[in-house]
């Protein structure tokens, strides 16, 4: 942004997750692209070795518009499908599904960064090492629950590793809210 010395990349795409009887995605409008395509920025699988420093990636959907109690829906700020990703001093701001880290075996390093969302806002099947960062669960009108992560990690992969990470939850959540570090996504789990 002009005068601030910081680079902010923002958009407002989302996913309604509406499908017809045959499982074909049915977008509501030109901004409804589905979760995989809704990101403000997507790094393709061919983007091996991508690095970013000091950039804010933001999806404004559900932040500055569509704020009604039942309006929350996936709207990705940053989607990485590549290996050897290095993200330093960056911010990832969204609500549901903010940071999508894809590709079984792909490696992502996030350091000295800020990640903000409400539901499943760090998700995917890549291996991620998140170090010396802050993770903040923002409030969304009417919500009484939230999940920081939704990993989809296979048995042979590492998943998400958090090292020296400060985790906060908005004080706007009611006292009876259910807040969890994570829940599996597209993966079956068993306990004994």
């Amino acid at each position: 942004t002009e005068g601030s010395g910081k680079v902010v990349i923002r958009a407002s795409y989302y996913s309604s997750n509406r499908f017809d009887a045959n499982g074909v995605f049915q977008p509501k409008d030109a901004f409804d692209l589905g979760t995989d395509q809704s990101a403000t920025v997507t790094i393709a699988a061919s983007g091996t070795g991508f690095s970013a420093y000091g950039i804010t990636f933001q999806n404004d959907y559900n932040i500055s518009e569509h704020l009604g109690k039942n309006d929350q829906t996936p709207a990705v700020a940053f989607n990485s499908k590549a290996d050897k990703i290095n993200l330093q001093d960056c911010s990832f701001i969204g609500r549901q599904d903010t940071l999508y880290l894809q590709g079984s075996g792909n490696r992502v390093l996030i350091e000295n960064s800020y990640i903000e969302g409400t539901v499943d806002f760090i998700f995917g099947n890549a291996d991620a090492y998140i170090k010396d960062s802050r993770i903040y669960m923002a409030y969304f009108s009417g919500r009484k629950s939230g999940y920081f992560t939704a990993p989809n990690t296979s048995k042979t992969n590492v998943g998400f590793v958090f090292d020296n990470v400060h985790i906060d939850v908005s004080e706007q959540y009611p006292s009876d809210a259910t807040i969890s570090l994570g829940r599996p996504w597209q993966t079956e789990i068993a306990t004994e």
Side-chain angles (χ1 to χ4, degrees):
T1 57
E2 194 171 316
S4 71
K6 295 205 174 227
V7 174
V8 178
I9 303 171
R10 57 192 331 155
S12 192
Y13 299 108
Y14 72 102
S15 175
S16 64
N17 285 330
R18 292 181 347 151
F19 299 88
D20 67 14
N22 296 320
V24 176
F25 179 62
Q26 299 295 304
K28 290 168 57 173
D29 57 37
F31 294 94
D32 185 1
L33 303 178
T35 303
D36 195 54
Q37 302 298 313
S38 71
T40 300
V41 170
T42 298
I43 307 305
S46 61
T48 297
F50 174 84
S51 293
Y53 301 88
I55 297 175
T56 295
F57 303 93
Q58 182 168 321
N59 192 321
D60 288 330
Y61 200 89
N62 292 148
I63 291 178
S64 60
E65 56 190 67
H66 306 284
L67 303 176
K69 182 178 178 179
N70 298 314
D71 286 344
Q72 188 172 23
T73 193
V76 178
F78 186 85
N79 181 356
S80 175
K81 300 178 181 186
D83 188 24
K84 300 179 184 175
I85 301 301
N86 182 16
L87 305 163
Q88 303 281 327
D89 301 309
C90 291
S91 293
F92 308 91
I93 301 172
R95 290 298 173 254
Q96 184 171 338
D97 295 354
T98 303
L99 182 59
Y100 195 179
L101 305 174
Q102 295 189 63
S104 182
N106 283 348
R107 296 158 291 176
V108 178
L109 170 64
I110 299 172
E111 191 169 10
N112 297 315
S113 293
Y114 174 78
I115 307 166
E116 178 182 306
T118 56
V119 177
D120 303 338
F121 60 99
I122 303 169
F123 74 114
N125 65 339
D127 294 333
Y129 183 56
I130 302 171
K131 180 180 179 186
D132 300 328
S133 295
R134 181 172 177 232
I135 301 174
Y136 178 72
M137 184 174 290
Y139 179 72
F140 193 83
S141 178
R143 287 214 58 90
K144 291 183 77 175
S145 65
Y147 302 89
F148 285 91
T149 67
N152 185 18
T153 309
S154 69
K155 283 182 177 182
T156 59
N157 291 61
V158 174
F160 300 155
V161 176
F162 300 91
D163 181 5
N164 195 35
V165 171
H166 184 83
I167 297 176
D168 274 328
V169 176
S170 170
E171 292 180 3
Q172 290 181 282
Y173 277 93
S175 61
D176 63 341
T178 303
I179 306 298
S180 300
L181 182 57
R183 62 181 172 175
W185 172 57
Q186 295 183 346
T187 302
E188 292 183 21
I189 61 168
T191 58
E192 294 181 18

